[in-house]
């Protein structure tokens, strides 16, 4: 549930023991930074049993690795670039949808078929119908960002605290980004643990969707 960023890259043991630096790169230029006030590093000495199998899953199904990578980009972007984070989380869910359903194209125009519907059907694996409908509505602002360059979150008012007694579109949008992040994470956990079907099926709206 946290965004982990590599601070010191792996290297052969023969090169010596690797240690996390006491400062981030930008802290070296901050004369007022006091390393003694920084939180103690948390060492992780054990790795969950499912991690090795997850690595094998991503190697055997590269699309799964793409889904994990773009989810991580969403984590890194979320607080400063929520509109781009939403694009990343939706892309991650769409990548999982491509693991579930065969990609079909229109025989006349060659466009991908049922993209949004497959996305919503995939959401329903980890969300109630009501939640899936609410998150499914995020497809519209995502498309406006991708195709029109529209931004919807706090990046439109940098440095300002958003507060309103009534409806706050920016705050509502950013809560939706959190919901999409949670759905993407839960789907990815199922994927890397091998809990998804091993083969894709043809998407049938009458079977996979109660409504759109």
């Amino acid at each position: 549930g946290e965004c982990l960023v590599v601070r010191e890259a792996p290297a052969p043991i023969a090169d010596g023991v690797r240690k996390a630096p006491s400062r981030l790169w930008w802290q070296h230029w901050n004369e007022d930074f006091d390393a003694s006030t920084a939180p103690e590093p948390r060492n992780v000495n054990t790795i969950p049993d499912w991690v090795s199998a997850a690595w094998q899953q991503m190697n055997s199904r590269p699309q799964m690795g793409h889904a994990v990578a773009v989810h991580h980009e969403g984590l890194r972007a979320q607080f400063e670039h929520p509109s781009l984070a939403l694009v990343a989380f939706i892309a991650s869910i769409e990548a999982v949808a491509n693991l579930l359903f065969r990609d079909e194209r229109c025989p006349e125009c060659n466009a991908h078929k049922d993209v949004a519907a497959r996305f919503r059907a995939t959401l329903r694996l980890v969300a109630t119908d009501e939640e899936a409908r609410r998150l499914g509505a995020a497809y519209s602002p995502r498309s406006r960002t991708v195709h029109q360059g529209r931004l919807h979150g706090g990046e439109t008012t940098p440095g300002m605290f958003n507060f309103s007694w009534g409806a706050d579109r920016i705050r509502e949008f950013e809560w939706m980004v959190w919901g999409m992040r949670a759905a993407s994470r839960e789907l990815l956990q199922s994927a890397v643990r091998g809990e998804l079907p091993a083969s894709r099926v043809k998407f049938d709206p009458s079977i996979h969707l109660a409504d759109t």
Side-chain angles (χ1 to χ4, degrees), residues 69-169:
V70 77
H71 176 87
H72 184 252
E73 291 303 300
L75 295 178
R76 298 184 67 178
Q78 183 176 0
F79 293 102
E80 295 186 8
H81 311 285
S83 297
L84 297 183
L86 180 68
V87 173
F89 294 139
I90 288 181
S92 178
I93 294 172
E94 288 183 319
V96 174
N98 289 335
L99 296 172
L100 298 171
F101 304 112
R102 289 198 295 268
D103 183 26
E104 298 189 17
R105 294 174 179 262
C106 173
E108 296 181 359
C109 66
N110 201 39
H112 296 274
K113 296 175 62 178
D114 301 316
V115 174
R118 287 187 294 144
F119 166 76
R120 294 186 178 96
T122 304
L123 274 178
R124 280 177 166 80
L125 296 177
V126 294
T128 64
D129 286 351
E130 180 180 352
E131 181 72 3
R133 283 193 294 270
R134 187 179 70 82
L135 291 177
Y139 217 86
S140 293
R142 167 264 182 200
S143 295
R144 289 196 293 273
T145 296
V146 172
H147 302 297
Q148 302 172 18
R150 292 276 298 277
L151 301 176
H152 312 282
E155 68 267 71
T156 59
T157 54
M160 296 178 63
F161 177 74
N162 297 308
F163 178 80
S164 173
W165 291 108
D168 187 326
R169 287 184 296 178

Side-chain angles (χ1 to χ4, degrees), residues 7 21 28 55 58 63 101 179 187 195 206:
R7 292 172 59 183
H28 288 280
W55 187 258
M58 289 189 288
Q63 186 70 28
F101 304 112
L187 283 166
E195 297 170 359
S206 64

Side-chain angles (χ1 to χ4, degrees), residues 21-89:
S22 60
R23 296 186 180 191
L24 298 173
W25 65 268
W26 54 267
Q27 292 170 334
H28 288 280
W29 285 269
N30 183 357
E31 295 180 357
D32 297 327
F33 175 76
D34 183 0
S36 65
T37 63
E40 286 294 321
R42 178 169 55 90
N43 294 323
V44 178
N45 298 316
T46 59
I47 298 175
D49 293 338
W50 55 265
V51 169
S52 294
W55 187 258
Q56 294 171 2
Q57 285 278 345
M58 289 189 288
N59 280 333
S60 62
R61 304 181 80 176
Q63 186 70 28
M64 192 181 299
H66 299 329
V68 171
V70 77
H71 176 87
H72 184 252
E73 291 303 300
L75 295 178
R76 298 184 67 178
Q78 183 176 0
F79 293 102
E80 295 186 8
H81 311 285
S83 297
L84 297 183
L86 180 68
V87 173
F89 294 139

